[in-house]
Amino acid sequence: MTTLLLLFLIGVLLMVSGCFSATETAITAASKAKLHQLAKDGNKKANIIKYLQKNINLVIAVLLTVNTMINALVVSLATALMIECVGQEGIAYASLIMGVLIVIYAEVLPKNLALHQPERLLLFIATPLNFIFKIFRPVTLVINAIVKKTLGIFGVKTEPNEFSHATLEELKGVIDLHTGPGQDVVHEKAMLKSILDLGSVQVGEIMVHRKNVTMLNASDSLSSIVDQVLSCPFTRMPLWKNDPDNIVGVINAKALLRAVRSHPGNIDELDIVNIASKPWFVPESTDLLEQLHAFRVRREHFSLVVDEYGSLMGIVTLEDILEEIVGDIADEHDIMVRGVRPQSDGSYIVDGSVTIRDLNRQFDWSLPDEPASTIAGLLLYQVRMIPHVGQVFMLNGFRFEIIRRQRNQITLVRITPPQS
């Protein structure tokens, strides 16, 4: 009778130990996003698990403490049983047999099962797990305090740091691991990562440079300005007076046409400055998230970018920021200048003004976009000189060949990516 009772107790304790092992794995593998959504939907058990995950270090310590106690008790009972059956040699047999059983049935097997559906397991045992946590928490706090003091003697710090919490890098990694059917997955991943990058990208990196901006001279006749506006694909254009850096307003094509139509006499009598709206200047260091919010608050779509000295650098529009998220947006009035031409040998002919971010996003490259925003800027920053036509440079595994240069500006580059 005693033998059967010991066997029964050993079997039960092994199962309990397996439950604790499975719980230990499940609480670390469970998706916080899924549990958060379940909690929002009113699942009370999900709220319990969210609370336990906030105290993950203590929960793990409780599970390990209780599991160690159970395993020690199992080995003791098995030793007593084997001694009763075969004598003192049973001590060695018990240690060997129970070691194998604990590893297989109380550790590896339950942890593998927990990895398949960790959220479902946690929701099933949420209430008893919370009860056990509250009972053993004081003991665990004492154990943790002893551990910290012991590690402190050797100069090891155990305080939580920035790596204890979810970071943008972790979220980007999750996005990279996302897979699904169809060809849109790559585009969806790029969009999600671009949204996360809005706070770290400055308007100076995506702006249209001033040399590519169509600007109007306030000294021109209104007839000439109307002709320029009608021949231009853009709706808004900066207006300057006396000096291109002296921006006095922004012309909206619709406002100009309304003013022309409502004027009964000679349109050259109109003052173009009065038709223009007040210019809005933003520093080139403004991040895209802040600029997007400013666009929404001011209900404007167009701003002028200036450097630290107040000189005009270019323009940035709401469409520019949206294109950073969804990719190029083309309409019937856009002039399509891709600036990237694939070659049969696997290389690409790229305009120097093409942004590094666009290349990285389109071809999944990893060119650095911190020191410079364009290919020409990257080359100038890396080689610390103005290269000549025909020179070749190897940067980050990519081969750059200078094809064309105008004065001190690199205008055309052949880029050969690393062979995969």
Side-chain angles (χ1 to χ4, degrees), residues 30-64:
S31 169
K32 293 182 179 180
K34 288 183 180 179
L35 292 169
H36 176 73
Q37 188 58 47
L38 288 172
K40 284 183 64 178
D41 293 339
N43 192 314
K44 295 181 179 180
K45 292 184 177 181
N47 276 317
I48 294 175
I49 299 303
K50 282 184 63 180
Y51 166 74
L52 294 176
Q53 284 187 326
K54 289 181 180 178
N55 299 274
I56 187 69
N57 291 338
L58 288 176
V59 173
I60 294 297
V62 166
L63 293 173
L64 289 174

PDB file of all heavy atoms in Angstrom, residues 30-64:
ATOM      1  N   ALA A  30       4.364  34.276 -24.376  1.00  0.00           N
ATOM      2  CA  ALA A  30       3.049  34.799 -24.738  1.00  0.00           C
ATOM      3  C   ALA A  30       3.153  36.172 -25.381  1.00  0.00           C
ATOM      4  O   ALA A  30       3.995  36.992 -25.006  1.00  0.00           O
ATOM      5  CB  ALA A  30       2.158  34.870 -23.499  1.00  0.00           C
ATOM      6  N   SER A  31       2.306  36.409 -26.345  1.00  0.00           N
ATOM      7  CA  SER A  31       2.282  37.686 -27.048  1.00  0.00           C
ATOM      8  C   SER A  31       1.605  38.750 -26.188  1.00  0.00           C
ATOM      9  O   SER A  31       0.432  38.628 -25.832  1.00  0.00           O
ATOM     10  CB  SER A  31       1.539  37.538 -28.378  1.00  0.00           C
ATOM     11  OG  SER A  31       1.283  38.798 -28.951  1.00  0.00           O
ATOM     12  N   LYS A  32       2.352  39.806 -25.866  1.00  0.00           N
ATOM     13  CA  LYS A  32       1.770  40.897 -25.085  1.00  0.00           C
ATOM     14  C   LYS A  32       0.689  41.619 -25.880  1.00  0.00           C
ATOM     15  O   LYS A  32      -0.274  42.115 -25.298  1.00  0.00           O
ATOM     16  CB  LYS A  32       2.872  41.872 -24.670  1.00  0.00           C
ATOM     17  CG  LYS A  32       3.858  41.291 -23.681  1.00  0.00           C
ATOM     18  CD  LYS A  32       4.896  42.317 -23.273  1.00  0.00           C
ATOM     19  CE  LYS A  32       5.872  41.723 -22.263  1.00  0.00           C
ATOM     20  NZ  LYS A  32       6.906  42.702 -21.849  1.00  0.00           N
ATOM     21  N   ALA A  33       0.864  41.659 -27.188  1.00  0.00           N
ATOM     22  CA  ALA A  33      -0.127  42.329 -28.026  1.00  0.00           C
ATOM     23  C   ALA A  33      -1.466  41.588 -27.983  1.00  0.00           C
ATOM     24  O   ALA A  33      -2.533  42.206 -27.869  1.00  0.00           O
ATOM     25  CB  ALA A  33       0.388  42.425 -29.459  1.00  0.00           C
ATOM     26  N   LYS A  34      -1.419  40.245 -28.080  1.00  0.00           N
ATOM     27  CA  LYS A  34      -2.658  39.465 -28.025  1.00  0.00           C
ATOM     28  C   LYS A  34      -3.352  39.607 -26.677  1.00  0.00           C
ATOM     29  O   LYS A  34      -4.572  39.799 -26.599  1.00  0.00           O
ATOM     30  CB  LYS A  34      -2.359  37.979 -28.285  1.00  0.00           C
ATOM     31  CG  LYS A  34      -1.997  37.650 -29.727  1.00  0.00           C
ATOM     32  CD  LYS A  34      -1.799  36.160 -29.883  1.00  0.00           C
ATOM     33  CE  LYS A  34      -1.429  35.791 -31.323  1.00  0.00           C
ATOM     34  NZ  LYS A  34      -1.212  34.331 -31.470  1.00  0.00           N
ATOM     35  N   LEU A  35      -2.566  39.534 -25.606  1.00  0.00           N
ATOM     36  CA  LEU A  35      -3.145  39.655 -24.270  1.00  0.00           C
ATOM     37  C   LEU A  35      -3.708  41.055 -24.046  1.00  0.00           C
ATOM     38  O   LEU A  35      -4.739  41.222 -23.400  1.00  0.00           O
ATOM     39  CB  LEU A  35      -2.089  39.324 -23.219  1.00  0.00           C
ATOM     40  CG  LEU A  35      -1.644  37.857 -23.191  1.00  0.00           C
ATOM     41  CD1 LEU A  35      -0.426  37.682 -22.307  1.00  0.00           C
ATOM     42  CD2 LEU A  35      -2.786  36.972 -22.696  1.00  0.00           C
ATOM     43  N   HIS A  36      -3.032  42.057 -24.588  1.00  0.00           N
ATOM     44  CA  HIS A  36      -3.520  43.433 -24.465  1.00  0.00           C
ATOM     45  C   HIS A  36      -4.871  43.583 -25.163  1.00  0.00           C
ATOM     46  O   HIS A  36      -5.792  44.216 -24.633  1.00  0.00           O
ATOM     47  CB  HIS A  36      -2.508  44.399 -25.064  1.00  0.00           C
ATOM     48  CG  HIS A  36      -2.964  45.825 -25.062  1.00  0.00           C
ATOM     49  ND1 HIS A  36      -3.033  46.582 -23.906  1.00  0.00           N
ATOM     50  CD2 HIS A  36      -3.387  46.634 -26.073  1.00  0.00           C
ATOM     51  CE1 HIS A  36      -3.476  47.790 -24.201  1.00  0.00           C
ATOM     52  NE2 HIS A  36      -3.699  47.839 -25.504  1.00  0.00           N
ATOM     53  N   GLN A  37      -4.989  42.987 -26.353  1.00  0.00           N
ATOM     54  CA  GLN A  37      -6.248  43.075 -27.087  1.00  0.00           C
ATOM     55  C   GLN A  37      -7.352  42.317 -26.364  1.00  0.00           C
ATOM     56  O   GLN A  37      -8.496  42.783 -26.297  1.00  0.00           O
ATOM     57  CB  GLN A  37      -6.067  42.517 -28.504  1.00  0.00           C
ATOM     58  CG  GLN A  37      -7.266  42.728 -29.417  1.00  0.00           C
ATOM     59  CD  GLN A  37      -7.629  44.185 -29.578  1.00  0.00           C
ATOM     60  OE1 GLN A  37      -6.758  45.023 -29.819  1.00  0.00           O
ATOM     61  NE2 GLN A  37      -8.904  44.503 -29.434  1.00  0.00           N
ATOM     62  N   LEU A  38      -7.024  41.146 -25.801  1.00  0.00           N
ATOM     63  CA  LEU A  38      -8.019  40.378 -25.045  1.00  0.00           C
ATOM     64  C   LEU A  38      -8.482  41.156 -23.820  1.00  0.00           C
ATOM     65  O   LEU A  38      -9.664  41.149 -23.476  1.00  0.00           O
ATOM     66  CB  LEU A  38      -7.421  39.033 -24.631  1.00  0.00           C
ATOM     67  CG  LEU A  38      -7.230  37.997 -25.744  1.00  0.00           C
ATOM     68  CD1 LEU A  38      -6.444  36.799 -25.220  1.00  0.00           C
ATOM     69  CD2 LEU A  38      -8.590  37.540 -26.282  1.00  0.00           C
ATOM     70  N   ALA A  39      -7.538  41.841 -23.165  1.00  0.00           N
ATOM     71  CA  ALA A  39      -7.894  42.647 -21.996  1.00  0.00           C
ATOM     72  C   ALA A  39      -8.804  43.800 -22.392  1.00  0.00           C
ATOM     73  O   ALA A  39      -9.765  44.131 -21.674  1.00  0.00           O
ATOM     74  CB  ALA A  39      -6.631  43.166 -21.320  1.00  0.00           C
ATOM     75  N   LYS A  40      -8.529  44.419 -23.550  1.00  0.00           N
ATOM     76  CA  LYS A  40      -9.384  45.507 -24.035  1.00  0.00           C
ATOM     77  C   LYS A  40     -10.781  45.001 -24.347  1.00  0.00           C
ATOM     78  O   LYS A  40     -11.762  45.734 -24.199  1.00  0.00           O
ATOM     79  CB  LYS A  40      -8.768  46.134 -25.289  1.00  0.00           C
ATOM     80  CG  LYS A  40      -7.581  47.041 -25.017  1.00  0.00           C
ATOM     81  CD  LYS A  40      -7.073  47.675 -26.297  1.00  0.00           C
ATOM     82  CE  LYS A  40      -8.107  48.590 -26.912  1.00  0.00           C
ATOM     83  NZ  LYS A  40      -7.596  49.254 -28.135  1.00  0.00           N
ATOM     84  N   ASP A  41     -10.873  43.734 -24.774  1.00  0.00           N
ATOM     85  CA  ASP A  41     -12.174  43.141 -25.096  1.00  0.00           C
ATOM     86  C   ASP A  41     -12.935  42.697 -23.856  1.00  0.00           C
ATOM     87  O   ASP A  41     -14.038  42.144 -23.966  1.00  0.00           O
ATOM     88  CB  ASP A  41     -11.992  41.952 -26.045  1.00  0.00           C
ATOM     89  CG  ASP A  41     -11.480  42.387 -27.413  1.00  0.00           C
ATOM     90  OD1 ASP A  41     -11.649  43.570 -27.746  1.00  0.00           O
ATOM     91  OD2 ASP A  41     -10.907  41.543 -28.125  1.00  0.00           O
ATOM     92  N   GLY A  42     -12.339  42.884 -22.671  1.00  0.00           N
ATOM     93  CA  GLY A  42     -13.038  42.583 -21.429  1.00  0.00           C
ATOM     94  C   GLY A  42     -12.692  41.258 -20.791  1.00  0.00           C
ATOM     95  O   GLY A  42     -13.379  40.832 -19.853  1.00  0.00           O
ATOM     96  N   ASN A  43     -11.648  40.581 -21.250  1.00  0.00           N
ATOM     97  CA  ASN A  43     -11.239  39.307 -20.671  1.00  0.00           C
ATOM     98  C   ASN A  43     -10.506  39.565 -19.352  1.00  0.00           C
ATOM     99  O   ASN A  43      -9.402  40.104 -19.337  1.00  0.00           O
ATOM    100  CB  ASN A  43     -10.340  38.547 -21.646  1.00  0.00           C
ATOM    101  CG  ASN A  43     -10.129  37.105 -21.226  1.00  0.00           C
ATOM    102  OD1 ASN A  43      -9.853  36.815 -20.070  1.00  0.00           O
ATOM    103  ND2 ASN A  43     -10.253  36.198 -22.179  1.00  0.00           N
ATOM    104  N   LYS A  44     -11.119  39.201 -18.223  1.00  0.00           N
ATOM    105  CA  LYS A  44     -10.533  39.475 -16.909  1.00  0.00           C
ATOM    106  C   LYS A  44      -9.248  38.680 -16.685  1.00  0.00           C
ATOM    107  O   LYS A  44      -8.312  39.158 -16.040  1.00  0.00           O
ATOM    108  CB  LYS A  44     -11.550  39.156 -15.816  1.00  0.00           C
ATOM    109  CG  LYS A  44     -12.776  40.067 -15.842  1.00  0.00           C
ATOM    110  CD  LYS A  44     -13.729  39.728 -14.726  1.00  0.00           C
ATOM    111  CE  LYS A  44     -14.946  40.656 -14.745  1.00  0.00           C
ATOM    112  NZ  LYS A  44     -15.900  40.343 -13.646  1.00  0.00           N
ATOM    113  N   LYS A  45      -9.206  37.440 -17.200  1.00  0.00           N
ATOM    114  CA  LYS A  45      -8.001  36.625 -17.023  1.00  0.00           C
ATOM    115  C   LYS A  45      -6.809  37.223 -17.774  1.00  0.00           C
ATOM    116  O   LYS A  45      -5.672  37.122 -17.333  1.00  0.00           O
ATOM    117  CB  LYS A  45      -8.270  35.195 -17.493  1.00  0.00           C
ATOM    118  CG  LYS A  45      -9.249  34.442 -16.603  1.00  0.00           C
ATOM    119  CD  LYS A  45      -9.404  33.001 -17.042  1.00  0.00           C
ATOM    120  CE  LYS A  45     -10.338  32.231 -16.108  1.00  0.00           C
ATOM    121  NZ  LYS A  45     -10.484  30.816 -16.527  1.00  0.00           N
ATOM    122  N   ALA A  46      -7.098  37.842 -18.920  1.00  0.00           N
ATOM    123  CA  ALA A  46      -6.015  38.503 -19.663  1.00  0.00           C
ATOM    124  C   ALA A  46      -5.430  39.653 -18.852  1.00  0.00           C
ATOM    125  O   ALA A  46      -4.226  39.906 -18.891  1.00  0.00           O
ATOM    126  CB  ALA A  46      -6.547  39.006 -21.006  1.00  0.00           C
ATOM    127  N   ASN A  47      -6.278  40.360 -18.089  1.00  0.00           N
ATOM    128  CA  ASN A  47      -5.786  41.432 -17.214  1.00  0.00           C
ATOM    129  C   ASN A  47      -4.879  40.879 -16.125  1.00  0.00           C
ATOM    130  O   ASN A  47      -3.883  41.511 -15.751  1.00  0.00           O
ATOM    131  CB  ASN A  47      -6.963  42.186 -16.580  1.00  0.00           C
ATOM    132  CG  ASN A  47      -7.512  43.258 -17.502  1.00  0.00           C
ATOM    133  OD1 ASN A  47      -6.758  43.995 -18.131  1.00  0.00           O
ATOM    134  ND2 ASN A  47      -8.837  43.346 -17.585  1.00  0.00           N
ATOM    135  N   ILE A  48      -5.228  39.702 -15.619  1.00  0.00           N
ATOM    136  CA  ILE A  48      -4.375  39.066 -14.602  1.00  0.00           C
ATOM    137  C   ILE A  48      -3.009  38.741 -15.190  1.00  0.00           C
ATOM    138  O   ILE A  48      -1.962  39.006 -14.564  1.00  0.00           O
ATOM    139  CB  ILE A  48      -5.053  37.788 -14.064  1.00  0.00           C
ATOM    140  CG1 ILE A  48      -6.337  38.133 -13.305  1.00  0.00           C
ATOM    141  CG2 ILE A  48      -4.088  37.006 -13.175  1.00  0.00           C
ATOM    142  CD1 ILE A  48      -7.128  36.920 -12.840  1.00  0.00           C
ATOM    143  N   ILE A  49      -2.996  38.171 -16.397  1.00  0.00           N
ATOM    144  CA  ILE A  49      -1.721  37.811 -17.026  1.00  0.00           C
ATOM    145  C   ILE A  49      -0.904  39.060 -17.350  1.00  0.00           C
ATOM    146  O   ILE A  49       0.325  39.070 -17.206  1.00  0.00           O
ATOM    147  CB  ILE A  49      -1.981  36.990 -18.311  1.00  0.00           C
ATOM    148  CG1 ILE A  49      -2.733  35.703 -17.985  1.00  0.00           C
ATOM    149  CG2 ILE A  49      -0.666  36.658 -19.003  1.00  0.00           C
ATOM    150  CD1 ILE A  49      -2.034  34.823 -16.975  1.00  0.00           C
ATOM    151  N   LYS A  50      -1.567  40.137 -17.774  1.00  0.00           N
ATOM    152  CA  LYS A  50      -0.851  41.388 -18.035  1.00  0.00           C
ATOM    153  C   LYS A  50      -0.163  41.890 -16.763  1.00  0.00           C
ATOM    154  O   LYS A  50       0.973  42.362 -16.800  1.00  0.00           O
ATOM    155  CB  LYS A  50      -1.814  42.458 -18.558  1.00  0.00           C
ATOM    156  CG  LYS A  50      -2.184  42.311 -20.025  1.00  0.00           C
ATOM    157  CD  LYS A  50      -3.051  43.464 -20.479  1.00  0.00           C
ATOM    158  CE  LYS A  50      -2.311  44.783 -20.390  1.00  0.00           C
ATOM    159  NZ  LYS A  50      -3.151  45.917 -20.825  1.00  0.00           N
ATOM    160  N   TYR A  51      -0.863  41.789 -15.631  1.00  0.00           N
ATOM    161  CA  TYR A  51      -0.277  42.201 -14.353  1.00  0.00           C
ATOM    162  C   TYR A  51       0.938  41.339 -14.012  1.00  0.00           C
ATOM    163  O   TYR A  51       1.975  41.851 -13.550  1.00  0.00           O
ATOM    164  CB  TYR A  51      -1.331  42.095 -13.248  1.00  0.00           C
ATOM    165  CG  TYR A  51      -0.760  42.166 -11.854  1.00  0.00           C
ATOM    166  CD1 TYR A  51      -0.310  43.371 -11.316  1.00  0.00           C
ATOM    167  CD2 TYR A  51      -0.663  41.010 -11.084  1.00  0.00           C
ATOM    168  CE1 TYR A  51       0.224  43.418 -10.037  1.00  0.00           C
ATOM    169  CE2 TYR A  51      -0.140  41.055  -9.798  1.00  0.00           C
ATOM    170  CZ  TYR A  51       0.305  42.259  -9.279  1.00  0.00           C
ATOM    171  OH  TYR A  51       0.842  42.304  -8.025  1.00  0.00           O
ATOM    172  N   LEU A  52       0.801  40.033 -14.235  1.00  0.00           N
ATOM    173  CA  LEU A  52       1.913  39.131 -13.923  1.00  0.00           C
ATOM    174  C   LEU A  52       3.108  39.391 -14.844  1.00  0.00           C
ATOM    175  O   LEU A  52       4.261  39.308 -14.416  1.00  0.00           O
ATOM    176  CB  LEU A  52       1.459  37.673 -14.052  1.00  0.00           C
ATOM    177  CG  LEU A  52       0.408  37.212 -13.024  1.00  0.00           C
ATOM    178  CD1 LEU A  52      -0.036  35.782 -13.330  1.00  0.00           C
ATOM    179  CD2 LEU A  52       0.969  37.302 -11.608  1.00  0.00           C
ATOM    180  N   GLN A  53       2.842  39.717 -16.106  1.00  0.00           N
ATOM    181  CA  GLN A  53       3.942  40.000 -17.031  1.00  0.00           C
ATOM    182  C   GLN A  53       4.684  41.280 -16.656  1.00  0.00           C
ATOM    183  O   GLN A  53       5.871  41.408 -16.945  1.00  0.00           O
ATOM    184  CB  GLN A  53       3.419  40.090 -18.460  1.00  0.00           C
ATOM    185  CG  GLN A  53       3.104  38.741 -19.088  1.00  0.00           C
ATOM    186  CD  GLN A  53       2.744  38.850 -20.555  1.00  0.00           C
ATOM    187  OE1 GLN A  53       2.133  39.826 -20.989  1.00  0.00           O
ATOM    188  NE2 GLN A  53       3.124  37.852 -21.335  1.00  0.00           N
ATOM    189  N   LYS A  54       3.981  42.228 -16.033  1.00  0.00           N
ATOM    190  CA  LYS A  54       4.661  43.438 -15.565  1.00  0.00           C
ATOM    191  C   LYS A  54       5.637  43.118 -14.426  1.00  0.00           C
ATOM    192  O   LYS A  54       6.589  43.865 -14.186  1.00  0.00           O
ATOM    193  CB  LYS A  54       3.634  44.474 -15.100  1.00  0.00           C
ATOM    194  CG  LYS A  54       2.832  45.095 -16.228  1.00  0.00           C
ATOM    195  CD  LYS A  54       1.848  46.122 -15.682  1.00  0.00           C
ATOM    196  CE  LYS A  54       1.031  46.745 -16.827  1.00  0.00           C
ATOM    197  NZ  LYS A  54       0.027  47.718 -16.312  1.00  0.00           N
ATOM    198  N   ASN A  55       5.358  42.015 -13.714  1.00  0.00           N
ATOM    199  CA  ASN A  55       6.250  41.569 -12.631  1.00  0.00           C
ATOM    200  C   ASN A  55       6.928  40.264 -13.027  1.00  0.00           C
ATOM    201  O   ASN A  55       7.032  39.339 -12.221  1.00  0.00           O
ATOM    202  CB  ASN A  55       5.441  41.381 -11.340  1.00  0.00           C
ATOM    203  CG  ASN A  55       4.782  42.655 -10.873  1.00  0.00           C
ATOM    204  OD1 ASN A  55       5.376  43.469 -10.175  1.00  0.00           O
ATOM    205  ND2 ASN A  55       3.518  42.837 -11.249  1.00  0.00           N
ATOM    206  N   ILE A  56       7.383  40.205 -14.279  1.00  0.00           N
ATOM    207  CA  ILE A  56       7.882  38.950 -14.838  1.00  0.00           C
ATOM    208  C   ILE A  56       9.041  38.366 -14.040  1.00  0.00           C
ATOM    209  O   ILE A  56       9.127  37.147 -13.864  1.00  0.00           O
ATOM    210  CB  ILE A  56       8.293  39.164 -16.323  1.00  0.00           C
ATOM    211  CG1 ILE A  56       8.653  37.836 -16.987  1.00  0.00           C
ATOM    212  CG2 ILE A  56       9.400  40.178 -16.445  1.00  0.00           C
ATOM    213  CD1 ILE A  56       7.502  36.920 -17.186  1.00  0.00           C
ATOM    214  N   ASN A  57       9.934  39.231 -13.538  1.00  0.00           N
ATOM    215  CA  ASN A  57      11.088  38.723 -12.779  1.00  0.00           C
ATOM    216  C   ASN A  57      10.636  37.993 -11.518  1.00  0.00           C
ATOM    217  O   ASN A  57      11.148  36.913 -11.187  1.00  0.00           O
ATOM    218  CB  ASN A  57      12.026  39.871 -12.419  1.00  0.00           C
ATOM    219  CG  ASN A  57      12.732  40.452 -13.629  1.00  0.00           C
ATOM    220  OD1 ASN A  57      12.854  39.777 -14.646  1.00  0.00           O
ATOM    221  ND2 ASN A  57      13.160  41.693 -13.538  1.00  0.00           N
ATOM    222  N   LEU A  58       9.682  38.587 -10.792  1.00  0.00           N
ATOM    223  CA  LEU A  58       9.191  37.950  -9.576  1.00  0.00           C
ATOM    224  C   LEU A  58       8.408  36.685  -9.884  1.00  0.00           C
ATOM    225  O   LEU A  58       8.501  35.689  -9.159  1.00  0.00           O
ATOM    226  CB  LEU A  58       8.315  38.933  -8.790  1.00  0.00           C
ATOM    227  CG  LEU A  58       9.036  40.081  -8.085  1.00  0.00           C
ATOM    228  CD1 LEU A  58       8.030  41.015  -7.432  1.00  0.00           C
ATOM    229  CD2 LEU A  58      10.010  39.545  -7.038  1.00  0.00           C
ATOM    230  N   VAL A  59       7.630  36.709 -10.952  1.00  0.00           N
ATOM    231  CA  VAL A  59       6.839  35.528 -11.334  1.00  0.00           C
ATOM    232  C   VAL A  59       7.754  34.359 -11.669  1.00  0.00           C
ATOM    233  O   VAL A  59       7.533  33.220 -11.212  1.00  0.00           O
ATOM    234  CB  VAL A  59       5.918  35.850 -12.532  1.00  0.00           C
ATOM    235  CG1 VAL A  59       5.233  34.586 -13.034  1.00  0.00           C
ATOM    236  CG2 VAL A  59       4.883  36.882 -12.135  1.00  0.00           C
ATOM    237  N   ILE A  60       8.780  34.623 -12.458  1.00  0.00           N
ATOM    238  CA  ILE A  60       9.739  33.562 -12.801  1.00  0.00           C
ATOM    239  C   ILE A  60      10.413  33.022 -11.549  1.00  0.00           C
ATOM    240  O   ILE A  60      10.610  31.803 -11.397  1.00  0.00           O
ATOM    241  CB  ILE A  60      10.785  34.088 -13.801  1.00  0.00           C
ATOM    242  CG1 ILE A  60      10.132  34.435 -15.142  1.00  0.00           C
ATOM    243  CG2 ILE A  60      11.890  33.059 -14.013  1.00  0.00           C
ATOM    244  CD1 ILE A  60       9.507  33.266 -15.856  1.00  0.00           C
ATOM    245  N   ALA A  61      10.763  33.929 -10.636  1.00  0.00           N
ATOM    246  CA  ALA A  61      11.414  33.497  -9.394  1.00  0.00           C
ATOM    247  C   ALA A  61      10.480  32.612  -8.572  1.00  0.00           C
ATOM    248  O   ALA A  61      10.914  31.597  -7.987  1.00  0.00           O
ATOM    249  CB  ALA A  61      11.840  34.719  -8.586  1.00  0.00           C
ATOM    250  N   VAL A  62       9.190  32.988  -8.520  1.00  0.00           N
ATOM    251  CA  VAL A  62       8.218  32.169  -7.791  1.00  0.00           C
ATOM    252  C   VAL A  62       8.095  30.785  -8.428  1.00  0.00           C
ATOM    253  O   VAL A  62       8.119  29.759  -7.731  1.00  0.00           O
ATOM    254  CB  VAL A  62       6.841  32.869  -7.775  1.00  0.00           C
ATOM    255  CG1 VAL A  62       5.755  31.895  -7.330  1.00  0.00           C
ATOM    256  CG2 VAL A  62       6.871  34.068  -6.855  1.00  0.00           C
ATOM    257  N   LEU A  63       7.976  30.747  -9.743  1.00  0.00           N
ATOM    258  CA  LEU A  63       7.827  29.468 -10.443  1.00  0.00           C
ATOM    259  C   LEU A  63       9.051  28.580 -10.234  1.00  0.00           C
ATOM    260  O   LEU A  63       8.915  27.367  -9.996  1.00  0.00           O
ATOM    261  CB  LEU A  63       7.602  29.719 -11.932  1.00  0.00           C
ATOM    262  CG  LEU A  63       6.278  30.397 -12.316  1.00  0.00           C
ATOM    263  CD1 LEU A  63       6.257  30.740 -13.803  1.00  0.00           C
ATOM    264  CD2 LEU A  63       5.096  29.502 -11.956  1.00  0.00           C
ATOM    265  N   LEU A  64      10.232  29.166 -10.329  1.00  0.00           N
ATOM    266  CA  LEU A  64      11.455  28.384 -10.128  1.00  0.00           C
ATOM    267  C   LEU A  64      11.555  27.884  -8.695  1.00  0.00           C
ATOM    268  O   LEU A  64      11.973  26.727  -8.451  1.00  0.00           O
ATOM    269  CB  LEU A  64      12.677  29.233 -10.483  1.00  0.00           C
ATOM    270  CG  LEU A  64      12.894  29.524 -11.964  1.00  0.00           C
ATOM    271  CD1 LEU A  64      14.049  30.492 -12.159  1.00  0.00           C
ATOM    272  CD2 LEU A  64      13.159  28.229 -12.726  1.00  0.00           C
TER     273      LEU A  64
END
